[in-house]
């Protein structure tokens, strides 16, 4: 049966129709003046999304993980010390990449679903009197557990302590979903990918690089060519590109940025927060347990414990085959233990409701006792007072 | 805000992605052998959808209403008598068209939401000892009220009475949604359009013409050129077309027919019936009243009375602007009194649930008292025992 | 082998990429305010293309032939006299349609490739002292022979003679290619289709109806419903439509009209004239004979005699299979005797050159003696002095 | 003016319509079984294109240059010696990348338009009695000059000399255009990108890695994560991917591979060779000089000296603005001195002819004396005897 699928994995997300259509534009000459103008325009508007005036936004033909590798090789020398806030697969991924390239990584960890506390980070920075720590790395939203860290607080504590460490934030599953102002919070490097809040297919990595990070780039000797921040930045400023740009996705990006500007970034954040509250209230009302406490809850994705009576495989299959809703599973140690519902990008309250109803139905089908209607009743209550003004 | 819309008007319906993509195929020479083969293949597979071996299916570049006009001018001479079963705007439309072209139309009417009973038809046929009635016209599903008539029974009674009247069925909102076997029920002419059960954009009218109707075509002298059944049929059989075919929609039709064959027509009917039961149970549970009693309920569209406390305009706007669900209103005398929920074409249980949740929310927003969750609870119950085997 | 085809039949024509992409837009509610605004905007801009302020442009979901039928049933009563200028298949088509609906048609004919002279028309009008002739029908560009008639002169002579006959012009293969100002030339009715100069798929018919034609519409009693000019016009003015509009093509039409406005209608005409001169000079230089003399030459399509040594079937197949160029053949009595090269819609000088080179190659392949390069040399000379200012 | 452009830069190339359409497919779950099957199928069919049974083909979300970097970091340790055959910008690019990552690069150079001779390579290998040279790097077709090197001969000489150096071939502008059998010629590593012979948008890099290269991969300690061959290969074999795949391009790749299989790889090669002969004969006949002698001519792209009387900027602008043909310029030291005509991917004889006619016209417009028609006459002669059997 041909049907409209509810793609609720934590990325890739739904692509709006108007973006889908431009993806079928024919190839153009990369040096064409119209394309050069397009490239300039998206670079400019990306600054709006990263909330930076002072930074540069670089676009790599790569996935978000490529953006993380790019950060490592542009900002870290062999032996440089990284304080890695590891609370899941993706924050750990950057630590692994940094180690791969010779950095000395010290991990501060937390249990799954939680975050490394700002105080713990501050304590560690305070101990580092010699300023050995060159970079603090963290995921804004740790996609694997859905825990959101307090980037602002960590940046403030760093400032208060006068510690010069660079702050590197993986915003792959949060950018354009959750507020993360690069300038206002003085974040040195922010990384994201195309297939989440930007509502595009995968294939572009974006890195926002700000002042002190540029100083580090100038001093780092780790070999890099494809990922070279300086070259990419200089060529983009000239209206060029160091190699062939992935133009199809750039065409789509133009539409994506238009869509974000039309809604207004803060309306987008607010919408995501409301949808999150609906999801969280809904799954709780069904007797399910969220992995992440409210204080770390993500507006872009939610993780729910698989009830003891069920298996993830059964639940996922039932949701997909019977109800057309595609959910994500747990990664690594969380495999089989949680399921994840993405609610980022183009998404409405009605779709969230549909997902909750499908979940309720699937749970009932599999014999898990749920009070009929409990999920949507709670979700509506959670979303109603706020939603009308979006 | 850019969003995925739930288009639940009674047509046009949602177009599956794979159909959308072929609509952007470049123009071809209409006499190209590949196109001719494509045209032959869709004509053949349309017979599967109309459930006919003995009939011919004609394709006109026009909307469904064009198909109705085509029937009038090919099958009726000036002064020919039509017994028109009029139970709403669209069954009345054919009567009007027939009168426009000089037919003498006798209307059997019913109140809105009901149908003209087979017994009443039989009685009228029995009275017509001289066989003056040349054609019985009716809508299978009267889209404006959502009432489904018993085509099979009327055809049987006609046979039992030995009355030679042709049976003309408007299946615009029922074909490929509700069982209507042209051969098995001995229906002489069936008309439909592209934008309902066939999941295409509007722009094609289909007419299935069977044996005795062809005899009438041969004898009718009403002028026709564009709508000429004989010419269209002969040219299609030769692999040609009497004028330029609307090739874009023919490309889409090929995909549509593939989709229908993949699901299997009877599975498609069964799915629509289940969705209907969900909708009807859901709206009733919310304290709303259906226009059409169960015996005439349509698997493709449902009409609901607008509660006295509310206006259609407010409800429609709330559904659309707040919840992204587009519903239809009442036509003619029913304007403002009912709203209609289309559930034809590509649609799933989850989408029906989403629509019901949105309706519940909109009603609550507008101050209409609904027990929270009542709609989805009832709808799930109505859909559950059956849905799993689709 | 997958390849880019040169579609040079006299319609359908090449669809620009930006139009192709909007054809894959999902269905919308036909009563949606955004769609209503779109519909209003295309109706307004169609007036630019028809060059009318005083007329109304109607859009029918049908092919161009449907537009011709619409004219017949809205403007002619049974027995009304039509003076039909018949110089080929398509001008004859209207005569046939008019006769089908009971008009008394008097044909003025010309030989293939020529036109009915304005003086002959004037003489006939002058004889018609009783003003029995209600309508003069003609094709601006007779697509089957490519001869262009002098519409302006015929209109002037009619005026000078004070004859009240309506002037009905089939502009199916000329609108948006060859100048045809409805107001300035006082043409009462102009008909066209979507798949020629408008660069769309087939499926829309357009009729421009001006003042005196509206008077006739009001008095004509010929039955019509689908084609009813009055209803269509009134509904369009209200932002509605008498039945379901073919929205996919309306989406495309919006792009088409933008494209035409961007180029400017007179630049579009000028470009077509230059392309025509290239084609004509090129084929002549290859030793081929044009069917139509220069005074009747069409800027949208050219007809060439098939050399005696060759067959059309061989030439067409060679052009298509070997060179990827699709040409048209002769119709009716001209079948096998001519081939036609469409040069309407989105087309450039370079594509015309490509077609001429392919033709030269195909002729040589088939043993027809052509001086190598003669076609492109002559075509360039014909196009060069003019082309640079377009 | 909206028009169909002839995109004749040396990449990106024209995308066939059927590929364009699949690029607008919605996102899917990367772990979806249908997507996994698709990914497996393209990996399998890429082997056909690389002509390898024994090798693995890896797909990176990156441009071709990313593929070159991937080779450097997977196959070279710091200090490893590379014999780089440098005859232009792109063969030099790999040398630069290898140096960036610490390799000791010895360059054998040739003048622009020529290649480093196999004998010179053999001499250098013979001198390397200690087998210090770990890798020979070369571009099959040096895109910047269009010179094609004799990969087969170099591989044979290497074998004859018993030298263990790995052979790394940049086939970015040659794969699927010019024969390059990885197994038969015993090439250890072949790199290409998506936007040339594969007729896709830019954004995918492909690397074919064969037996001895895998041995090197296992021993190399150069840090790599995103580019890790072992991880990519292992994950692809499991039906997974080390990060998010660029699914849009994978959808397109499936169509691309189908198209190549339908034509048959050797027919594709043959077609490109014929088109090359047409281009070369045509430009010569116009009195222009090719940069590359026949023995090194490329079937995918041709470089022509800009005549002394003209500037590249003028010629390029005239070709593009007046004739809709987009050509490439010279890079680095060749900037302003040559122009390049891409003839790779989906391209026909007729399009080549169109480009030559446009070139002839542009030259004439700019005052460069060309005998009218000379280009197409010569091109046809060069292409005719062969083309008919393709």
């Amino acid at each position: 049966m041909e049907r409209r699928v509810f793609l609720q994995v934590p990325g890739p997300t739904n692509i709006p129709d108007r973006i889908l259509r431009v993806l079928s534009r024919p190839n153009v000459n990369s040096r064409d003046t119209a394309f050069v103008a397009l490239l300039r325009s998206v670079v400019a508007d990306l600054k709006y999304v990263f909330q930076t005036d002072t930074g540069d936004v670089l676009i790599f033909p790569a996935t978000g993980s490529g953006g993380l590798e790019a950060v490592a090789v542009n900002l870290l020398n062999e032996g440089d010390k990284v304080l890695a806030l590891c609370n899941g697969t993706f924050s750990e991924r950057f630590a692994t990449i940094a180690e791969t390239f010779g950095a000395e990584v010290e991990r501060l960890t937390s249990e799954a679903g939680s975050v490394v506390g700002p105080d713990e980070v501050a304590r560690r920075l305070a101990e580092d009197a010699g300023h050995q720590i060159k970079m603090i790395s963290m995921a804004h939203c740790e996609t694997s557990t859905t825990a959101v860290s307090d980037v602002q607080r960590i940046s403030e504590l760093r400032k208060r302590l006068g510690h010069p460490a660079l702050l590197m934030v993986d915003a792959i599953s949060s950018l354009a979903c959750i507020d993360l102002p690069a300038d206002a919070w003085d974040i040195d490097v922010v990384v994201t990918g195309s297939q989440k809040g930007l509502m595009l297919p995968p294939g572009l990595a974006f890195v926002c690089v700000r002042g002190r990070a540029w100083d580090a780039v100038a001093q780092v000797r780790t070999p890099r060519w494809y990922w070279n921040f300086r070259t990419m930045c200089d060529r983009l400023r000239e209206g060029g590109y160091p190699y062939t740009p992935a133009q199809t996705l750039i065409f789509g990006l133009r539409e994506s940025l238009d869509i974000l500007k039309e809604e207004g970034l803060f309306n987008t954040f607010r919408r995501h927060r409301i949808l999150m509250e609906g999801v969280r209230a809904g799954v709780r009302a069904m007797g399910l347990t969220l992995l992440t406490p409210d204080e770390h809850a993500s507006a872009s994705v939610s993780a729910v414990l698989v009830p003891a009576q069920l298996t993830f495989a059964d639940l996922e299959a039932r949701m997909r085959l019977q109800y057309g809703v595609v959910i994500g599973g747990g990664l690594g140690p969380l495999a089989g233990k949680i399921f994840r519902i993405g609610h980022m990008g183009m998404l409405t309250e009605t779709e969230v409701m549909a997902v909750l109803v499908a979940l309720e139905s699937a749970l009932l089908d599999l014999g898990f006792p749920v009070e009929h209607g409990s999920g949507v009743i709670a979700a509506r209550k959670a979303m109603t007072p706020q939603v009308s003004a979006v």
Side-chain angles (χ1 to χ4, degrees), chain A residues 270 274 349 353 377-389:
Chain A
R270 183 157 180 275
I274 293 170
E349 184 179 336
M353 288 298 222
I377 293 170
R380 178 180 302 125
K381 196 170 158 194
M383 295 195 278
T384 300
Q386 309 162 299
V387 91
S388 36

Side-chain angles (χ1 to χ4, degrees), chain A residues 300-316:
Chain A
S300 60
V301 55
S302 296
V304 186
L305 302 191
V306 176
Q309 304 94 312
L310 307 179
T311 67
F312 170 72
D314 287 348
L315 182 61
E316 191 278 338

Side-chain angles (χ1 to χ4, degrees), chain A residues 132-153:
Chain A
Q132 293 301 305
I133 296 171
K134 184 176 184 185
M135 176 189 283
I136 306 162
S137 73
M138 62 189 301
H140 183 206
C141 172
E142 166 52 59
T143 321
S144 68
T145 68
T146 80
V148 172
S149 291
D150 190 342
V151 173
Q152 182 179 21
R153 178 80 182 137

Side-chain angles (χ1 to χ4, degrees), chain A residues 328-359:
Chain A
L331 302 177
L334 291 171
K337 297 193 178 149
I338 59 167
F339 63 92
R340 288 178 299 154
I341 300 171
H343 36 86
M344 61 186 95
M346 179 185 65
L347 201 74
T348 62
E349 184 179 336
T350 301
E351 286 166 291
V352 161
M353 288 298 222
V355 171
L356 291 172
V357 174
L359 177 57

Side-chain angles (χ1 to χ4, degrees), chain A residues 19-20 47 64 73 95 108 124 135 140 174 182 202 218 230 234 272 321 346 381-382:
Chain A
I19 295 184
L20 281 181
K47 291 193 174 191
V73 298
L108 297 181
R124 192 56 201 84
M135 176 189 283
H140 183 206
S174 71
R230 190 71 266 154
D234 290 350
H272 281 90
L321 300 172
M346 179 185 65
K381 196 170 158 194

